[in-house]
Amino acid sequence: MQSDTLRCARISRRLLMSSCAWLRYQHPQAAFCTASALNQSHYDVLGIKNDCTLAEVKDQYIRLSKEFHPDTNPESKDNKRILAINEAYSVLSKPGLRKAYDTELLQKSKVTMHTYGDIRTNAPMEQVIFKDDSLWEHRDKTEFYKNRDRPYYGVKGVKKLPNSYIAAGAVVFMIVGAVFHFFLAKTSSDFTIKQLNLRDQIASTHHTEVRNLAKANGNAVQMELLRRRNEEEIRNR
């Protein structure tokens, strides 16, 4: 009588576990019931791979049932483990439920992936350290803090100026430089023109004197003077 009662209880529990597994897949948010309490998937609970065959699922279930079930192993008191084993088998032994469970596992793994810049990982967000040295917030500011008590521009008494002041100073310096350059170029041009005019005047005066002298002496005397001058230059060489 007692054995019949136990057999009926086992059958009822098996039917209950199967129905619970079906209900879980009607409500995906509750898909990881006992297995989630152990932080394991159904495959991890049975110790099998995701691509295992149905025969491997059954063989592993039978082996674990003998190992952890109180009827075959009175020393086993891990009730959560037994429930997780039965739950995993009730899902993985049925192709339809197993397919739905695999889909849910895939979706759950995708949800846990996070993107940090160009990095994609499933690590918890609070444990991920994303660092880009091109950003001021992520730079190593050790050297910066070492020099924070020194003059900003290397000159004592000169405080840090806003960028607008520096830009305005650069514009003023550029204008002053342009004016100075124009003044210098104008002065140089005037001086050069003045020197050329003076040279032209001297040359014109000398040409006029020579011309007047040639007219006064006549061609014969002038040619004789030129001959003597040439002879003196040759001797001097």
Side-chain angles (χ1 to χ4, degrees), residues 182-219:
F182 175 78
F183 174 77
L184 189 63
K186 184 71 170 56
T187 304
S188 176
S189 176
D190 293 343
F191 178 78
T192 303
I193 292 173
K194 185 178 179 181
Q195 291 297 319
L196 290 174
N197 291 334
L198 181 60
R199 184 181 298 175
D200 290 341
Q201 290 176 3
I202 295 172
S204 178
T205 303
H206 180 68
H207 179 266
T208 302
E209 290 178 354
V210 171
R211 185 175 181 182
N212 293 333
L213 183 61
K215 286 181 179 181
N217 294 331
N219 290 336

mmCIF file of all heavy atoms in Angstrom, residues 182-219:
data_model
loop_
_atom_site.group_PDB
_atom_site.id
_atom_site.type_symbol
_atom_site.label_atom_id
_atom_site.label_comp_id
_atom_site.label_asym_id
_atom_site.label_seq_id
_atom_site.Cartn_x
_atom_site.Cartn_y
_atom_site.Cartn_z
ATOM 1 N N PHE A 182 54.019 97.234 -42.989
ATOM 2 C CA PHE A 182 53.697 98.194 -44.042
ATOM 3 C C PHE A 182 54.576 99.443 -43.930
ATOM 4 O O PHE A 182 55.093 99.944 -44.944
ATOM 5 C CB PHE A 182 52.225 98.578 -43.937
ATOM 6 C CG PHE A 182 51.808 99.648 -44.893
ATOM 7 C CD1 PHE A 182 51.571 99.359 -46.231
ATOM 8 C CD2 PHE A 182 51.673 100.957 -44.460
ATOM 9 C CE1 PHE A 182 51.200 100.359 -47.113
ATOM 10 C CE2 PHE A 182 51.301 101.964 -45.342
ATOM 11 C CZ PHE A 182 51.069 101.661 -46.682
ATOM 12 N N PHE A 183 54.770 99.952 -42.701
ATOM 13 C CA PHE A 183 55.616 101.136 -42.487
ATOM 14 C C PHE A 183 57.058 100.860 -42.906
ATOM 15 O O PHE A 183 57.704 101.683 -43.572
ATOM 16 C CB PHE A 183 55.554 101.558 -41.016
ATOM 17 C CG PHE A 183 56.486 102.665 -40.667
ATOM 18 C CD1 PHE A 183 56.205 103.991 -41.007
ATOM 19 C CD2 PHE A 183 57.677 102.403 -39.992
ATOM 20 C CE1 PHE A 183 57.082 105.014 -40.683
ATOM 21 C CE2 PHE A 183 58.554 103.418 -39.673
ATOM 22 C CZ PHE A 183 58.248 104.737 -40.021
ATOM 23 N N LEU A 184 57.569 99.699 -42.554
ATOM 24 C CA LEU A 184 58.936 99.335 -42.908
ATOM 25 C C LEU A 184 59.099 99.216 -44.426
ATOM 26 O O LEU A 184 60.089 99.692 -45.000
ATOM 27 C CB LEU A 184 59.316 98.028 -42.220
ATOM 28 C CG LEU A 184 60.779 97.591 -42.313
ATOM 29 C CD1 LEU A 184 61.676 98.601 -41.625
ATOM 30 C CD2 LEU A 184 60.955 96.219 -41.673
ATOM 31 N N ALA A 185 58.121 98.579 -45.064
ATOM 32 C CA ALA A 185 58.198 98.430 -46.517
ATOM 33 C C ALA A 185 58.118 99.790 -47.211
ATOM 34 O O ALA A 185 58.837 100.054 -48.195
ATOM 35 C CB ALA A 185 57.064 97.518 -46.993
ATOM 36 N N LYS A 186 57.245 100.687 -46.708
ATOM 37 C CA LYS A 186 57.102 102.011 -47.297
ATOM 38 C C LYS A 186 58.395 102.810 -47.135
ATOM 39 O O LYS A 186 58.866 103.466 -48.083
ATOM 40 C CB LYS A 186 55.947 102.737 -46.608
ATOM 41 C CG LYS A 186 55.631 104.104 -47.194
ATOM 42 C CD LYS A 186 55.001 103.976 -48.568
ATOM 43 C CE LYS A 186 54.449 105.319 -49.057
ATOM 44 N NZ LYS A 186 55.402 106.403 -49.086
ATOM 45 N N THR A 187 59.000 102.775 -45.950
ATOM 46 C CA THR A 187 60.250 103.503 -45.696
ATOM 47 C C THR A 187 61.368 102.985 -46.588
ATOM 48 O O THR A 187 62.146 103.765 -47.173
ATOM 49 C CB THR A 187 60.645 103.379 -44.222
ATOM 50 O OG1 THR A 187 59.569 103.844 -43.402
ATOM 51 C CG2 THR A 187 61.889 104.183 -43.916
ATOM 52 N N SER A 188 61.480 101.680 -46.707
ATOM 53 C CA SER A 188 62.523 101.087 -47.549
ATOM 54 C C SER A 188 62.322 101.465 -49.008
ATOM 55 O O SER A 188 63.282 101.778 -49.733
ATOM 56 C CB SER A 188 62.500 99.570 -47.391
ATOM 57 O OG SER A 188 63.439 98.965 -48.251
ATOM 58 N N SER A 189 61.053 101.457 -49.450
ATOM 59 C CA SER A 189 60.771 101.822 -50.845
ATOM 60 C C SER A 189 61.121 103.286 -51.116
ATOM 61 O O SER A 189 61.739 103.607 -52.152
ATOM 62 C CB SER A 189 59.293 101.556 -51.146
ATOM 63 O OG SER A 189 58.963 101.982 -52.439
ATOM 64 N N ASP A 190 60.763 104.179 -50.190
ATOM 65 C CA ASP A 190 61.079 105.603 -50.368
ATOM 66 C C ASP A 190 62.589 105.849 -50.404
ATOM 67 O O ASP A 190 63.087 106.647 -51.221
ATOM 68 C CB ASP A 190 60.442 106.424 -49.247
ATOM 69 C CG ASP A 190 58.917 106.423 -49.324
ATOM 70 O OD1 ASP A 190 58.384 106.070 -50.409
ATOM 71 O OD2 ASP A 190 58.262 106.746 -48.310
ATOM 72 N N PHE A 191 63.332 105.137 -49.515
ATOM 73 C CA PHE A 191 64.779 105.311 -49.483
ATOM 74 C C PHE A 191 65.423 104.827 -50.789
ATOM 75 O O PHE A 191 66.327 105.473 -51.347
ATOM 76 C CB PHE A 191 65.360 104.553 -48.288
ATOM 77 C CG PHE A 191 66.844 104.637 -48.188
ATOM 78 C CD1 PHE A 191 67.470 105.778 -47.692
ATOM 79 C CD2 PHE A 191 67.638 103.573 -48.607
ATOM 80 C CE1 PHE A 191 68.852 105.852 -47.628
ATOM 81 C CE2 PHE A 191 69.014 103.639 -48.525
ATOM 82 C CZ PHE A 191 69.625 104.790 -48.041
ATOM 83 N N THR A 192 64.948 103.715 -51.303
ATOM 84 C CA THR A 192 65.499 103.169 -52.555
ATOM 85 C C THR A 192 65.224 104.113 -53.721
ATOM 86 O O THR A 192 66.110 104.374 -54.564
ATOM 87 C CB THR A 192 64.886 101.795 -52.836
ATOM 88 O OG1 THR A 192 65.137 100.918 -51.726
ATOM 89 C CG2 THR A 192 65.462 101.190 -54.101
ATOM 90 N N ILE A 193 64.008 104.641 -53.775
ATOM 91 C CA ILE A 193 63.665 105.578 -54.861
ATOM 92 C C ILE A 193 64.522 106.843 -54.776
ATOM 93 O O ILE A 193 65.003 107.368 -55.799
ATOM 94 C CB ILE A 193 62.158 105.917 -54.794
ATOM 95 C CG1 ILE A 193 61.326 104.669 -55.138
ATOM 96 C CG2 ILE A 193 61.829 107.046 -55.754
ATOM 97 C CD1 ILE A 193 59.847 104.860 -54.936
ATOM 98 N N LYS A 194 64.737 107.306 -53.559
ATOM 99 C CA LYS A 194 65.556 108.502 -53.365
ATOM 100 C C LYS A 194 66.991 108.271 -53.831
ATOM 101 O O LYS A 194 67.602 109.134 -54.509
ATOM 102 C CB LYS A 194 65.521 108.900 -51.901
ATOM 103 C CG LYS A 194 66.249 110.195 -51.603
ATOM 104 C CD LYS A 194 66.114 110.545 -50.127
ATOM 105 C CE LYS A 194 66.856 111.842 -49.815
ATOM 106 N NZ LYS A 194 66.747 112.198 -48.356
ATOM 107 N N GLN A 195 67.581 107.116 -53.522
ATOM 108 C CA GLN A 195 68.945 106.796 -53.927
ATOM 109 C C GLN A 195 69.059 106.667 -55.453
ATOM 110 O O GLN A 195 70.025 107.131 -56.056
ATOM 111 C CB GLN A 195 69.401 105.491 -53.251
ATOM 112 C CG GLN A 195 69.593 105.610 -51.750
ATOM 113 C CD GLN A 195 70.693 106.581 -51.384
ATOM 114 O OE1 GLN A 195 71.758 106.630 -52.012
ATOM 115 N NE2 GLN A 195 70.450 107.396 -50.369
ATOM 116 N N LEU A 196 68.043 106.074 -56.066
ATOM 117 C CA LEU A 196 68.061 105.947 -57.527
ATOM 118 C C LEU A 196 67.955 107.311 -58.207
ATOM 119 O O LEU A 196 68.635 107.579 -59.220
ATOM 120 C CB LEU A 196 66.897 105.047 -57.978
ATOM 121 C CG LEU A 196 67.026 103.559 -57.633
ATOM 122 C CD1 LEU A 196 65.744 102.818 -58.010
ATOM 123 C CD2 LEU A 196 68.228 102.937 -58.320
ATOM 124 N N ASN A 197 67.116 108.177 -57.660
ATOM 125 C CA ASN A 197 67.006 109.531 -58.231
ATOM 126 C C ASN A 197 68.319 110.302 -58.096
ATOM 127 O O ASN A 197 68.747 111.018 -59.026
ATOM 128 C CB ASN A 197 65.881 110.309 -57.543
ATOM 129 C CG ASN A 197 64.495 109.749 -57.884
ATOM 130 O OD1 ASN A 197 64.325 109.133 -58.950
ATOM 131 N ND2 ASN A 197 63.523 109.991 -57.011
ATOM 132 N N LEU A 198 68.993 110.154 -56.937
ATOM 133 C CA LEU A 198 70.271 110.821 -56.726
ATOM 134 C C LEU A 198 71.326 110.312 -57.708
ATOM 135 O O LEU A 198 72.103 111.093 -58.286
ATOM 136 C CB LEU A 198 70.734 110.629 -55.280
ATOM 137 C CG LEU A 198 72.047 111.291 -54.879
ATOM 138 C CD1 LEU A 198 71.955 112.821 -55.071
ATOM 139 C CD2 LEU A 198 72.411 110.955 -53.433
ATOM 140 N N ARG A 199 71.337 109.000 -57.915
ATOM 141 C CA ARG A 199 72.291 108.428 -58.867
ATOM 142 C C ARG A 199 72.010 108.929 -60.298
ATOM 143 O O ARG A 199 72.929 109.222 -61.058
ATOM 144 C CB ARG A 199 72.195 106.903 -58.817
ATOM 145 C CG ARG A 199 73.214 106.200 -59.692
ATOM 146 C CD ARG A 199 73.047 104.708 -59.620
ATOM 147 N NE ARG A 199 73.274 104.220 -58.261
ATOM 148 C CZ ARG A 199 73.101 102.940 -57.897
ATOM 149 N NH1 ARG A 199 72.692 102.067 -58.820
ATOM 150 N NH2 ARG A 199 73.334 102.568 -56.669
ATOM 151 N N ASP A 200 70.733 109.024 -60.630
ATOM 152 C CA ASP A 200 70.387 109.534 -61.964
ATOM 153 C C ASP A 200 70.833 110.996 -62.141
ATOM 154 O O ASP A 200 71.312 111.388 -63.219
ATOM 155 C CB ASP A 200 68.869 109.428 -62.188
ATOM 156 C CG ASP A 200 68.423 107.982 -62.339
ATOM 157 O OD1 ASP A 200 69.289 107.123 -62.630
ATOM 158 O OD2 ASP A 200 67.214 107.693 -62.167
ATOM 159 N N GLN A 201 70.668 111.754 -61.078
ATOM 160 C CA GLN A 201 71.089 113.167 -61.159
ATOM 161 C C GLN A 201 72.602 113.289 -61.360
ATOM 162 O O GLN A 201 73.079 114.100 -62.175
ATOM 163 C CB GLN A 201 70.656 113.909 -59.901
ATOM 164 C CG GLN A 201 69.157 114.115 -59.789
ATOM 165 C CD GLN A 201 68.762 114.778 -58.478
ATOM 166 O OE1 GLN A 201 69.627 115.141 -57.667
ATOM 167 N NE2 GLN A 201 67.452 114.963 -58.270
ATOM 168 N N ILE A 202 73.385 112.492 -60.601
ATOM 169 C CA ILE A 202 74.847 112.530 -60.727
ATOM 170 C C ILE A 202 75.270 112.106 -62.136
ATOM 171 O O ILE A 202 76.140 112.744 -62.782
ATOM 172 C CB ILE A 202 75.510 111.654 -59.659
ATOM 173 C CG1 ILE A 202 75.238 112.225 -58.262
ATOM 174 C CG2 ILE A 202 76.999 111.518 -59.902
ATOM 175 C CD1 ILE A 202 75.698 111.330 -57.127
ATOM 176 N N ALA A 203 74.646 111.032 -62.623
ATOM 177 C CA ALA A 203 75.001 110.553 -63.965
ATOM 178 C C ALA A 203 74.644 111.584 -65.037
ATOM 179 O O ALA A 203 75.410 111.810 -65.996
ATOM 180 C CB ALA A 203 74.282 109.228 -64.232
ATOM 181 N N SER A 204 73.488 112.211 -64.851
ATOM 182 C CA SER A 204 73.051 113.216 -65.836
ATOM 183 C C SER A 204 73.991 114.424 -65.827
ATOM 184 O O SER A 204 74.349 114.962 -66.887
ATOM 185 C CB SER A 204 71.618 113.658 -65.523
ATOM 186 O OG SER A 204 71.188 114.659 -66.429
ATOM 187 N N THR A 205 74.428 114.856 -64.614
ATOM 188 C CA THR A 205 75.360 115.998 -64.510
ATOM 189 C C THR A 205 76.690 115.671 -65.160
ATOM 190 O O THR A 205 77.272 116.500 -65.894
ATOM 191 C CB THR A 205 75.549 116.377 -63.023
ATOM 192 O OG1 THR A 205 74.280 116.682 -62.446
ATOM 193 C CG2 THR A 205 76.476 117.565 -62.894
ATOM 194 N N HIS A 206 77.201 114.448 -64.866
ATOM 195 C CA HIS A 206 78.487 114.050 -65.447
ATOM 196 C C HIS A 206 78.391 113.971 -66.970
ATOM 197 O O HIS A 206 79.313 114.400 -67.700
ATOM 198 C CB HIS A 206 78.910 112.698 -64.870
ATOM 199 C CG HIS A 206 80.217 112.216 -65.402
ATOM 200 N ND1 HIS A 206 81.426 112.824 -65.114
ATOM 201 C CD2 HIS A 206 80.518 111.182 -66.245
ATOM 202 C CE1 HIS A 206 82.400 112.214 -65.718
ATOM 203 N NE2 HIS A 206 81.881 111.184 -66.433
ATOM 204 N N HIS A 207 77.267 113.449 -67.465
ATOM 205 C CA HIS A 207 77.093 113.350 -68.905
ATOM 206 C C HIS A 207 77.045 114.731 -69.551
ATOM 207 O O HIS A 207 77.627 114.967 -70.630
ATOM 208 C CB HIS A 207 75.795 112.579 -69.216
ATOM 209 C CG HIS A 207 75.521 112.445 -70.675
ATOM 210 N ND1 HIS A 207 74.712 113.322 -71.383
ATOM 211 C CD2 HIS A 207 75.971 111.528 -71.588
ATOM 212 C CE1 HIS A 207 74.656 112.959 -72.637
ATOM 213 N NE2 HIS A 207 75.426 111.850 -72.807
ATOM 214 N N THR A 208 76.398 115.661 -68.883
ATOM 215 C CA THR A 208 76.306 117.027 -69.426
ATOM 216 C C THR A 208 77.674 117.685 -69.454
ATOM 217 O O THR A 208 78.040 118.363 -70.435
ATOM 218 C CB THR A 208 75.322 117.850 -68.570
ATOM 219 O OG1 THR A 208 74.059 117.213 -68.564
ATOM 220 C CG2 THR A 208 75.173 119.248 -69.131
ATOM 221 N N GLU A 209 78.470 117.493 -68.405
ATOM 222 C CA GLU A 209 79.824 118.096 -68.352
ATOM 223 C C GLU A 209 80.716 117.542 -69.457
ATOM 224 O O GLU A 209 81.445 118.285 -70.128
ATOM 225 C CB GLU A 209 80.440 117.841 -66.980
ATOM 226 C CG GLU A 209 79.773 118.625 -65.864
ATOM 227 C CD GLU A 209 80.385 118.301 -64.512
ATOM 228 O OE1 GLU A 209 81.248 117.378 -64.453
ATOM 229 O OE2 GLU A 209 79.980 118.933 -63.504
ATOM 230 N N VAL A 210 80.677 116.230 -69.620
ATOM 231 C CA VAL A 210 81.506 115.594 -70.653
ATOM 232 C C VAL A 210 81.083 116.073 -72.036
ATOM 233 O O VAL A 210 81.912 116.358 -72.922
ATOM 234 C CB VAL A 210 81.427 114.067 -70.545
ATOM 235 C CG1 VAL A 210 82.110 113.405 -71.746
ATOM 236 C CG2 VAL A 210 82.061 113.589 -69.241
ATOM 237 N N ARG A 211 79.794 116.195 -72.245
ATOM 238 C CA ARG A 211 79.287 116.631 -73.552
ATOM 239 C C ARG A 211 79.712 118.080 -73.858
ATOM 240 O O ARG A 211 80.146 118.399 -74.989
ATOM 241 C CB ARG A 211 77.778 116.496 -73.549
ATOM 242 C CG ARG A 211 77.155 116.808 -74.904
ATOM 243 C CD ARG A 211 75.671 116.527 -74.850
ATOM 244 N NE ARG A 211 75.066 116.786 -76.139
ATOM 245 C CZ ARG A 211 73.762 116.658 -76.389
ATOM 246 N NH1 ARG A 211 72.941 116.265 -75.400
ATOM 247 N NH2 ARG A 211 73.280 116.910 -77.598
ATOM 248 N N ASN A 212 79.578 118.921 -72.851
ATOM 249 C CA ASN A 212 79.985 120.330 -73.047
ATOM 250 C C ASN A 212 81.493 120.446 -73.299
ATOM 251 O O ASN A 212 81.942 121.245 -74.121
ATOM 252 C CB ASN A 212 79.588 121.179 -71.841
ATOM 253 C CG ASN A 212 78.066 121.308 -71.709
ATOM 254 O OD1 ASN A 212 77.356 121.208 -72.728
ATOM 255 N ND2 ASN A 212 77.587 121.538 -70.498
ATOM 256 N N LEU A 213 82.286 119.635 -72.550
ATOM 257 C CA LEU A 213 83.741 119.655 -72.733
ATOM 258 C C LEU A 213 84.129 119.177 -74.137
ATOM 259 O O LEU A 213 85.045 119.717 -74.766
ATOM 260 C CB LEU A 213 84.410 118.788 -71.672
ATOM 261 C CG LEU A 213 85.949 118.760 -71.682
ATOM 262 C CD1 LEU A 213 86.500 120.185 -71.426
ATOM 263 C CD2 LEU A 213 86.482 117.799 -70.623
ATOM 264 N N ALA A 214 83.408 118.131 -74.605
ATOM 265 C CA ALA A 214 83.705 117.625 -75.956
ATOM 266 C C ALA A 214 83.379 118.667 -77.015
ATOM 267 O O ALA A 214 84.114 118.828 -77.999
ATOM 268 C CB ALA A 214 82.897 116.352 -76.200
ATOM 269 N N LYS A 215 82.298 119.392 -76.818
ATOM 270 C CA LYS A 215 81.949 120.436 -77.764
ATOM 271 C C LYS A 215 82.996 121.566 -77.768
ATOM 272 O O LYS A 215 83.324 122.129 -78.804
ATOM 273 C CB LYS A 215 80.579 121.010 -77.425
ATOM 274 C CG LYS A 215 79.423 120.087 -77.795
ATOM 275 C CD LYS A 215 78.085 120.735 -77.453
ATOM 276 C CE LYS A 215 76.919 119.825 -77.834
ATOM 277 N NZ LYS A 215 75.616 120.465 -77.523
ATOM 278 N N ALA A 216 83.497 121.899 -76.565
ATOM 279 C CA ALA A 216 84.465 123.006 -76.442
ATOM 280 C C ALA A 216 85.812 122.625 -77.039
ATOM 281 O O ALA A 216 86.497 123.446 -77.666
ATOM 282 C CB ALA A 216 84.622 123.401 -74.982
ATOM 283 N N ASN A 217 86.265 121.396 -76.861
ATOM 284 C CA ASN A 217 87.587 120.971 -77.330
ATOM 285 C C ASN A 217 87.588 120.616 -78.818
ATOM 286 O O ASN A 217 88.640 120.650 -79.459
ATOM 287 C CB ASN A 217 88.091 119.777 -76.531
ATOM 288 C CG ASN A 217 88.352 120.145 -75.071
ATOM 289 O OD1 ASN A 217 88.671 121.317 -74.770
ATOM 290 N ND2 ASN A 217 88.224 119.177 -74.187
ATOM 291 N N GLY A 218 86.489 120.151 -79.300
ATOM 292 C CA GLY A 218 86.456 119.702 -80.687
ATOM 293 C C GLY A 218 86.756 118.213 -80.759
ATOM 294 O O GLY A 218 87.260 117.600 -79.817
ATOM 295 N N ASN A 219 86.505 117.636 -81.891
ATOM 296 C CA ASN A 219 86.647 116.181 -82.029
ATOM 297 C C ASN A 219 88.108 115.746 -81.977
ATOM 298 O O ASN A 219 88.438 114.732 -81.364
ATOM 299 C CB ASN A 219 86.023 115.729 -83.353
ATOM 300 C CG ASN A 219 84.498 115.849 -83.319
ATOM 301 O OD1 ASN A 219 83.907 115.823 -82.254
ATOM 302 N ND2 ASN A 219 83.886 115.995 -84.492
#
